Amino acid sequence: MSLRQGIRTIAAVALLVVAMLGTAQAQEVQRIIAVVNDEAVSNRDVIERVRLVVLTSGLNDSPELRQRIAPQVLRTLIDEHLRLQEAERKNVSVTDREIGFAISNIEQRNSMPADSFVKLLESRNIDSYTLETQIRAEIAWNKLVNQRLWSLVTITDEDIDDELRRLRDNRGKPEFRLSEIFLTVDGAGQDKEVRKNAGALVKHIRAGADFANLADQFSVAVSASDGGSIGWVTADQLDAEVAAAVTNLQPGEISDSIATRGGYLIVRLDERRQLEAPNSDDTEVDLRQILLATPGNATPDDVAANLSLASVIRETVADCDDMVRIAAETDPTMSGNLGMIKLKDMSPNIRTVVEALPIATASEPVTTDSGVHLFMVCDRVESDAGLPRRTDVRQLLIEARLDQVARHYLRDLRRTAFIDIRT
């Protein structure tokens, strides 16, 4: 063989090797790594979504990072397929115009020029189809939840009253504005993997990754579409383990991953404030009174006798009706039922006693120029100044219930679906 023939042979072999490697790489990219019912998720789908997540979340890109987040990305893609499949079964569609509007909203939130986001993806060699698929799944699911699940949520006037009562009771206590990322665990076999993914997200966020974008990419809560924001809550609205974590955070800090019902939760404390305490001047009480009158010429012994009698009555009076009955028997000229009275309209010594008095509890005897009094508060109505309107409370309760229903809906879709993950 001549030298020229040898060189040609080596070159041909090299081209063949390159072609074979290219074919192998192409096959690896197109390899199916999961089947969701009758739809496939390819390795390319995961690669493209990982690149999108890295770009939009401010993660420090590296092969190791991409490998770490790939399992959670795959789980997100599986959920998207389930959501889109269910939307299609329920005849819920998404138009190209709706997708374009959603992309415009992303650009506005991030102070980007119009039509620049897709161009940014193209400049980074990221297929815009992966963004459009994600947005399509989000819109379809939100439509499905609002159209199909809304009717399953019922908020009664009693529910609103209970919530307003809770808000009144929490006045003067801390309130927290939180954002969340919620990752679900649908079976004991998934716990280890999901816990690991949640821990990795915590590390990335603390290293500077964008919380809102990661929430949008990975969280299964309804709040994901709003960057994970759940608004203002008090500690009693949270599970005990979540409340314990939140109370130890400073604004801007995030918690470790928290094992909670159905999965793992990551919370960020955005802001802390003190709920405005009610103005006690405007508090009204439904008041009952027993008066043991002391005449103007009463001696100290007369006053002492009335105090002694008042103490005996206090030990025997059972309720508000008892107060009225005993008042009539003691001095029929004095009404036992004083009705609704504002605290600010009381004399200072009586107000001090009444303001701290538990409902349906007889007070200690109170001495005035008129005699010796026993008081009982039968109801207390505090000012609603600073509390949300009933319509706002209803909406907040609906959104919270809807979130629960939507999580259960997606969980049931996962449990009944055929999902084959090929590693």
Side-chain angles (χ1 to χ4, degrees), residues 185-207:
V185 175
D186 297 318
Q190 296 180 348
D191 186 87
K192 182 178 180 180
E193 177 190 350
V194 177
R195 183 173 69 250
K196 181 180 178 181
N197 291 340
L201 287 179
V202 169
K203 291 179 180 178
H204 295 318
I205 296 168
R206 287 175 176 166

Side-chain angles (χ1 to χ4, degrees), residues 352-365:
T352 300
V353 173
V354 170
E355 191 167 13
L357 194 61
I359 299 292
T361 301
S363 70
E364 295 282 352

Side-chain angles (χ1 to χ4, degrees), residues 132-147:
E132 293 167 3
T133 301
Q134 178 186 352
I135 292 175
R136 186 180 300 276
E138 288 178 358
I139 296 174
W141 184 250
N142 287 335
K143 280 186 173 183
L144 183 62
V145 167
N146 288 323
Q147 293 176 12

